[in-house]
Amino acid sequence: MRALLLLIAAVALAHAATVLTRADQASIDAALPILQRHLPDVRVIPADPTQWRGLIDRGGVDFLWAGAPLLYESLLREGYLAPMPDVPELREMPERAGGVPLKRVGPDGRVYYVVYALLGYVIGYSGEALAKAGVEPACSWADLASPNLTLYFIKTGSRPVALARPTKSTSTAAMMQLVTEIYGWDEGWRLLTAMAAHARFVDSSGAVRDAVRRGEALFGPMVDYYVFLAGLDYCIPRDGTDVLFDPIAVPRGANATAAAVLTRVFLSEVEKRLVDRYILPGNLALLDSPDVNRTKAALLKRHLEKLMASRVLAVPPEKSASYYHSFIYYYEATLVDLQDQLASVWGKTVEAYHEGKISRQQFERLWRLIAAPLNYTDPATGEATSFTYQVAAAINDRVARDPAYRDKLIQAWREAARERYRRAEAELESLLNPPRRPTPAPYAVAAAVALALAATIFYISRKRKIKNTVKL
């Protein structure tokens, strides 16, 4: 404790500590008084994940808090993280929570980020709202993409699924990536496209929770503690879920003394207070601590049992990070920016199938046409390219680092998607209104009938003549 007090005194004299975060405002409000007891001049700055690199480059950031591991993994790959300070609380942190590694060790054997909280991916909803709408719970990613929800949107004008834009929410980005991990690249994008067509897009994962709580959407993929805070019902997706490891880390260029204090405080006092926010601490032993709320700890233990009994994919953060930037910008260019055009062609397709105007085979072909990963012209090479998983991984680092290339790529994706939706709408129109054969003119019909009659008479007379010849 004396060592910690000396650290606090040193940092108070030298530096106003700055924390960059992806935490929601309620979590910031809960953590700030704890941090201020140790560092009176601490500042907590919420920022979109796409802004973190610029803020770190600018300097003056001492600590990173919250967000999906794929963000931290990307920062580690790109050299934005410094080794964590070697403090007692870090050394005492367990290496694993069940099968989840809590410390990310780099090639040099040092820890570069640590998981201080665990959050499961769930689908939140209000049972009361569903009963009023006459809709069954969506308990899988495939359910969220169901054409039945598109029909609900067509009928009511209300978008049934709330989604955060992936460039604004690392947890939503991770959940959307999870769909492609569960179903494969092509089928995954088919589901993501249908889901996006009837989605209400918002700018944060907290806004997803709020949209469902207020009844503005029936369903919202979200991290588990949001459903507990909002009093929502939830399903753990039966086709697969994952656990979000909420990390803390130190950026390059940080004040070492401030970073050490913040690491110690987060891994002690802040982690114990997680239970008050219905968040599973990375150190699960704290659920049995007398210092935490026993009622909330019991709820979290039951939830953890349900989560661990589910199909947890445990996608390595380094894999998600390997195509993260390509994924989020492609998603936004093709599904968010062009949502009106997408919703129009997809809604017409679903409605035509529902009304029996097109067959199941035709419906499936149109769905594949609308949603298949795009063919586009790469602005760097001028070559025709398909957005495969391999291509997404190959261009990922350049998408992250080169804004000019990224902007041209987004434009290429957007134009290719716009043309794809036009083509799908034209094909649907041709199925609904096939070109008719020209109707014969009346005189042509009469001539055809006369010709057929003459042929018949000739055939009968010829047959009689042959018969008489035989008799002779």
Side-chain angles (χ1 to χ4, degrees), residues 287-325:
L287 292 175
D288 295 317
S289 169
D291 297 338
V292 303
N293 184 299
R294 305 309 309 148
T295 302
K296 293 179 179 179
L299 182 150
L300 288 174
K301 283 185 176 182
R302 290 193 298 272
H303 170 65
L304 182 63
E305 289 176 3
K306 288 174 61 178
L307 194 60
M308 293 300 104
S310 303
R311 186 187 177 207
V312 179
L313 267 71
V315 180
E318 53 268 30
K319 182 178 182 185
S320 299
S322 71
Y323 65 100
Y324 164 72
H325 297 286

Side-chain angles (χ1 to χ4, degrees), residues 148-197:
N148 290 332
L149 291 183
T150 302
L151 290 171
Y152 174 87
F153 169 49
I154 292 169
K155 179 181 177 182
T156 65
S158 177
R159 297 184 179 276
V161 179
L163 288 174
R165 295 171 57 184
T167 56
K168 301 292 185 181
S169 167
T170 52
S171 61
T172 297
M175 284 185 271
M176 298 301 97
Q177 284 184 291
L178 181 63
V179 175
T180 65
E181 296 290 340
I182 293 169
Y183 285 96
W185 191 252
D186 289 357
E187 181 66 11
W189 278 108
R190 198 168 79 105
L191 296 178
L192 292 176
T193 301
M195 198 187 304

Side-chain angles (χ1 to χ4, degrees), residues 4-5 8-9 12 30-42 261 265 268-270 273:
L4 179 56
L5 290 173
I8 292 168
L32 195 55
I34 300 173
L35 301 179
Q36 287 173 332
R37 282 203 300 270
H38 300 280
L39 300 169
D41 292 331
V42 67
V261 172
V265 174
S268 55
E269 295 179 51
V270 174
R273 297 282 74 82

Side-chain angles (χ1 to χ4, degrees), residues 338 341 369 374-375 412-426:
L338 300 181
Q341 190 177 356
L369 173 59
L374 288 169
N375 298 317
W413 286 335
R414 199 179 286 136
E415 289 304 317
R418 188 177 284 115
E419 180 55 34
R420 170 77 62 80
Y421 300 150
R422 282 198 206 104
R423 189 150 47 93
E425 190 151 21

Side-chain angles (χ1 to χ4, degrees), residues 429-440:
E429 182 64 26
S430 70
L431 292 173
L432 296 177
N433 300 291
R436 296 180 179 178
R437 294 180 179 177
T439 303

Side-chain angles (χ1 to χ4, degrees), residues 141-147 149-150 190-192 194-195 198 346 367:
W141 304 109
D143 287 347
L144 291 180
S146 170
L149 291 183
T150 302
R190 198 168 79 105
L191 296 178
L192 292 176
M195 198 187 304
H198 53 235
W346 176 241
W367 191 348

